Amino acid sequence: MGMVTRSQGSDRFAAYIGELTKVIGHADRVMPLRDYCSGLLATEGRRSVEPMAAVTAPARVSAQHQRLLHFVANATWSDERVLAKVRELVVPSMVRHGPIEAWIIDDTSFPKQGSHSVGVHHQYCGQLGKQANCQVVVTLSIANHHASLPIAYRLYLPQAWIGDAARRAKAHVPAAIKFRTKPQIALEQIRAAHAAGVPCGVVLMDASYGSNKALRDGITALELAYAAAIVPTVKVRPVRAHDPDEPRLSVKDLALSLPGHAWRTITWREGTNERLRSRFARVRVRAAPIRGAAKCTEETLLIEWPDGEAEPTKYWLATSDQKMPFRDLVDIVKMRWRIERDYLDLKQEIGLGHYEGRGCRFDLARPWSERCIDKDLSNV
C-alpha cells in the first residue's frame, strides 16, 4: 500500500466522521462531533475540553468550550450506536488481513485528584503500579495479528461508592445501582458483544479475570473459547488415561512435577529487537468445579518457564481444540500484548483519561456504568 498524502488523510477522516454523524442524532451535534474528534488528534498535551477548544476555534474559545462541553457531557446522543458504527466501519478493514482471532478483556486506570469524579477511589492503579486515588474501567477489545479495536469501556464503581448516597446523588448515580465486580462487568460486555454479532475470537484475560471460574464458565456458556491466565494456586486434576481419579493439586505443583521432555522452546512472534521465545509445557486438566456444579470438562493447562528462571512464571487455562498446534496455542495467549499497546496509544496519542468532568448522565435504557464511562472518559 502506498503512502497516504495529507489531502487523502483529511478526506478519509472527513468521511469517517461523516459516517458517525449518521448515528449522532440531532443535526446540531454534527459540528461539535467533528471538532471534538479533530481536537483529540490536533491538540498537544492535555486533551481536556478547554485546550481542544483553543485549537479548534482559536477566535472564539469560550463559546467553543461551552459547545464541546455540552456535547460530551449533556447532549443525548447514543454512545452505544456510535460504538456500533465504529465497529461497522473498522472491522471490515481488520478482517481483510485475516479473521478476528481474539477478544481481550482487561482494565485500565486513571489517576485522579479529589473524591468527586464518578467511581474515584483509593485502589490499585496499574498506571502507577501501586494503590492510588484513581478511576478504573473494564474494557473489551477485538484483535487479529494485523490490528486491534477497543469496542467497550465501562466504569467500575467500588463498594465505597455503593453505600455513599450523598456522593452518588451529587454524581447522578441512581440509588438502584448495585455493586458489580470487574469480572461481572467483563462478562456483561462479552454477552453484549456476542448478542450484537461481533465476529468471535478466543477470549483472552489476565489472571485477575482468568482465575475467576464463574467468568470462565459464563464464557463457555456462550460457546466461546478462552485462554485465561490464572494464579499459581489454582487447583486442577490432571487427565490421565490410567488414573481418572488423579488427586487435585495446584498448577504450580503440577508444573514442577513435569519431566524435562514435557518442555519445548517455542518462538511466537518478532519483538522490538529479536524474535520472542520461551519454554512451555501443556497438560490436559480439569479445573476444580464451583460448589454444586457438574463435573468440569477438560481444558488445556499451558505453562511458561523461561530459561534461567527458578520456577514457572505464567499459567493459562484454555478451552482450545486439542488438535491446535502447540505454537498456535502459545501465539494466541500472547496476543494479549495488543491491549497494553492499545492503552498506551490511547493515553499518549488521544489523551484517554484527560476529561475532567465529574458527573454522570444516566440512560435508563442502558447499563449505568457504560453511559457513565463514555461521558466521564469521553476522549475514547
Side-chain angles (χ1 to χ4, degrees):
M1 181 180 294
M3 294 291 291
V4 176
T5 67
R6 181 182 295 273
S7 176
Q8 290 172 325
S10 297
D11 290 344
R12 288 170 59 180
F13 177 75
Y16 180 79
I17 298 301
E19 288 296 311
L20 296 186
T21 63
K22 295 178 180 180
V23 296
I24 204 67
H26 199 278
D28 64 3
R29 298 175 199 137
V30 171
M31 290 299 289
L33 170 65
R34 186 203 65 186
D35 289 347
Y36 191 80
C37 293
S38 298
L40 290 175
L41 297 176
T43 304
E44 295 184 1
R46 191 165 186 84
R47 272 89 162 182
S48 51
V49 171
E50 187 171 0
M52 287 197 294
V55 168
T56 56
R60 44 187 177 84
V61 174
S62 179
Q64 178 76 332
H65 177 271
Q66 291 301 315
R67 187 170 70 159
L68 293 180
L69 189 62
H70 174 79
F71 172 71
V72 298
N74 301 110
T76 56
W77 50 271
S78 168
D79 43 299
E80 183 178 53
R81 294 184 66 192
V82 171
L83 287 171
K85 174 59 75 171
V86 170
R87 291 199 310 270
E88 177 188 322
L89 296 172
V90 176
V91 169
S93 296
M94 293 177 66
V95 299
R96 281 201 296 268
H97 301 270
I100 299 301
E101 297 171 88
W103 290 12
I104 309 173
I105 279 287
D106 208 343
D107 57 63
T108 191
S109 52
F110 311 97
K112 291 287 183 179
Q113 299 295 324
S115 59
H116 301 293
S117 296
V118 180
V120 70
H121 186 61
H122 191 77
Q123 56 195 319
Y124 181 74
C125 179
Q127 182 173 326
L128 302 178
K130 62 180 182 180
Q131 296 282 319
N133 206 54
C134 65
Q135 292 172 307
V136 175
V137 297
V138 180
T139 75
L140 174 63
S141 290
I142 58 176
N144 58 18
H145 280 80
H146 172 72
S148 54
L149 174 68
I151 63 171
Y153 281 76
R154 188 176 297 185
L155 182 69
Y156 168 69
L157 187 67
Q159 285 184 316
W161 273 77
I162 297 297
D164 193 335
R167 186 160 62 162
R168 287 167 56 130
K170 189 173 183 179
H172 308 293
V173 178
I177 299 303
K178 306 299 181 183
F179 176 71
R180 291 289 183 273
T181 66
K182 294 171 190 174
Q184 286 172 334
I185 293 172
L187 186 55
E188 290 174 3
Q189 291 178 323
I190 293 168
R191 285 171 174 159
H194 186 262
V198 176
C200 293
V202 177
V203 182
L204 308 181
M205 59 200 105
D206 68 15
S208 64
Y209 293 90
S211 298
N212 186 298
K213 191 165 190 305
L215 173 57
R216 302 200 311 268
D217 287 347
I219 294 169
T220 299
L222 295 171
E223 299 184 345
L224 296 171
Y226 60 75
I230 56 174
V231 295
T233 54
V234 169
K235 291 190 174 183
V236 296
R237 177 175 288 112
V239 176
R240 306 186 196 277
H242 65 278
D243 188 357
D245 296 320
E246 190 86 14
R248 292 192 299 123
L249 71 165
S250 71
V251 292
K252 179 179 178 179
D253 288 341
L254 175 56
L256 295 174
S257 73
L258 294 176
H261 63 77
W263 299 91
R264 286 180 51 188
T265 297
I266 293 179
T267 301
W268 62 92
R269 70 176 175 87
E270 294 285 348
T272 304
N273 299 314
E274 60 184 5
R275 292 179 66 80
L276 302 178
R277 60 171 56 87
S278 189
R279 288 199 314 152
F280 297 89
R282 59 177 176 176
V283 185
R284 294 296 290 178
V285 299
R286 289 191 177 94
I290 296 175
R291 182 176 299 176
K295 186 176 181 180
C296 292
T297 58
E298 292 185 15
E299 301 174 82
T300 297
L301 170 65
L302 179 68
I303 311 154
E304 181 177 1
W305 190 343
D307 284 329
E309 295 290 340
E311 60 185 36
T313 56
K314 295 179 181 178
Y315 306 83
W316 297 266
L317 284 173
T319 53
S320 57
D321 187 339
Q322 291 189 55
K323 297 180 181 179
M324 176 182 286
F326 203 163
R327 184 191 176 282
D328 290 354
L329 177 59
V330 172
D331 182 65
I332 194 68
V333 303
K334 289 296 185 176
M335 281 188 70
R336 265 204 74 255
W337 73 273
R338 285 200 168 274
I339 194 68
E340 302 301 336
R341 178 59 62 85
D342 282 350
Y343 290 154
L344 183 65
D345 289 346
L346 287 167
K347 290 178 179 181
Q348 292 186 350
E349 300 299 327
I350 58 171
L352 178 66
H354 286 177
Y355 185 68
E356 297 168 344
R358 293 175 174 177
C360 172
R361 285 180 53 81
F362 179 63
D363 184 345
L364 292 174
R366 298 184 46 240
W368 78 274
S369 48
E370 187 171 320
R371 185 66 174 177
C372 183
I373 191 58
D374 289 335
K375 290 303 185 187
D376 200 46
L377 297 174
S378 50
N379 310 59
V380 180

